[in-house]
Amino acid sequence: MKIVFATNNPHKVAEVNEVLGDAFQIILCKRLVVKKIFLKPSPHWKEMLCKKRYVKENYGTDCFAEDTGLEIEALNGEPGVITARYAGPSRDPYSNINLVLNKLHNKENRNAQFRTVIALILNGEEYLFEGIVKGTIALEKRGTGGFGYDPIFVPEGYDQTFAELSSEIKNEISHRARATKLLIEFLKDFI
Ligand code: ITT
């Protein structure tokens, strides 16, 4: 089955591809202009996920999109829906990480979770799939793998950050892997 993934993020594509396996072939919308409609901060996951509608309307094709956020307990769920732009519009991962580390300085509670919401539009219907991984925020950056906030996120059950763990382990237990597995289960009925 061929399916369009509405994203500009090559890391997401690599991770989702690894979980999807051979039964699905991901087609990318190259240089999506979707970003233009995302400049305004939006308070809700569902509003963030209008990527898929945009693709459907402009490219005329069914597709899925995903948004991921980091939710930190001691920061009342921040950065949440503004995870990508937490330290400003440049979306710089190092500035985002430094801001989180500064805000958590001296905080004992370092509990956090990644949440991925995948939104699918198929035959005119819309479906949502959610994946969560719980963990803690490390005291400092560690590791070179992964992307985004991975160098400071330690998933439950491990001592290493996502950036220190192998991609195989991340793609087994991550928020994105969990949401993608639910998507696969659902899509199996359409193959
Ligand atoms: P799209 O084109 O799919 O929107 P994006 O990179 O803009 O790609 P998001 O809007 O979902 O994606 O941004 C999510 C933010 O969370 C962004 O700063 C990422 O670096 C970070 N992020 C997403 N998934 C992550 C993961 O698995 N590990 C660490 N950080 C992640």
Side-chain angles (χ1 to χ4, degrees):
M1 181 179 189
K2 290 184 181 178
I3 186 143
V4 173
F5 184 8
T7 181
N8 286 299
N9 185 327
H11 300 286
K12 288 184 176 180
V13 175
E15 289 187 5
V16 167
N17 251 330
E18 202 169 316
V19 180
L20 278 181
D22 295 337
F24 299 91
Q25 184 189 342
I26 295 232
I27 300 168
L28 294 174
C29 289
K30 280 196 189 137
R31 295 264 140 244
L32 273 185
V33 268
V34 173
K35 276 292 173 288
K36 287 189 185 151
I37 58 170
F38 275 96
L39 293 177
K40 275 185 289 172
S42 165
H44 300 296
W45 288 103
K46 283 191 180 176
E47 286 174 37
M48 299 276 289
L49 285 162
C50 52
K51 286 180 242 191
K52 63 177 189 317
R53 279 192 212 130
Y54 182 90
V55 169
K56 177 74 180 171
E57 280 159 23
N58 289 273
Y59 296 76
T61 178
D62 283 343
C63 66
F64 71 95
E66 67 109 286
D67 273 322
T68 293
L70 177 64
E71 299 170 339
I72 299 173
E73 224 171 75
L75 303 180
N76 298 317
E78 283 186 15
V81 292
I82 59 160
T83 294
R85 306 176 303 275
Y86 197 38
S90 68
R91 308 167 64 97
D92 174 46
Y94 297 103
S95 311
N96 285 338
I97 283 178
N98 288 336
L99 183 58
V100 167
L101 290 177
N102 287 339
K103 287 200 177 196
L104 286 184
H105 184 61
N106 286 338
K107 290 246 193 311
E108 246 175 59
N109 178 1
R110 304 188 72 91
N111 293 339
Q113 64 180 24
F114 271 119
R115 181 203 302 268
T116 290
V117 178
I118 291 181
L120 170 73
I121 190 158
L122 192 65
N123 302 330
E125 299 288 331
E126 297 187 13
Y127 308 91
L128 292 180
F129 308 90
E130 185 180 83
I132 287 177
V133 63
K134 291 184 181 297
T136 52
I137 301 297
L139 293 170
E140 63 204 356
K141 282 176 263 188
R142 287 192 268 123
T144 53
F147 69 102
Y149 295 81
D150 280 345
I152 54 167
F153 187 83
V154 179
E156 216 168 60
Y158 293 84
D159 295 324
Q160 302 100 314
T161 65
F162 264 153
E164 291 176 306
L165 291 166
S166 66
S167 67
E168 285 79 13
I169 293 180
K170 184 180 177 193
N171 290 330
E172 190 58 43
I173 63 168
S174 81
H175 44 300
R176 181 165 298 103
R178 287 177 177 159
T180 306
K181 283 172 190 167
L182 294 177
L183 173 73
I184 295 172
E185 279 310 304
F186 178 83
L187 286 177
K188 273 182 184 162
D189 292 343
F190 289 86
I191 299 180

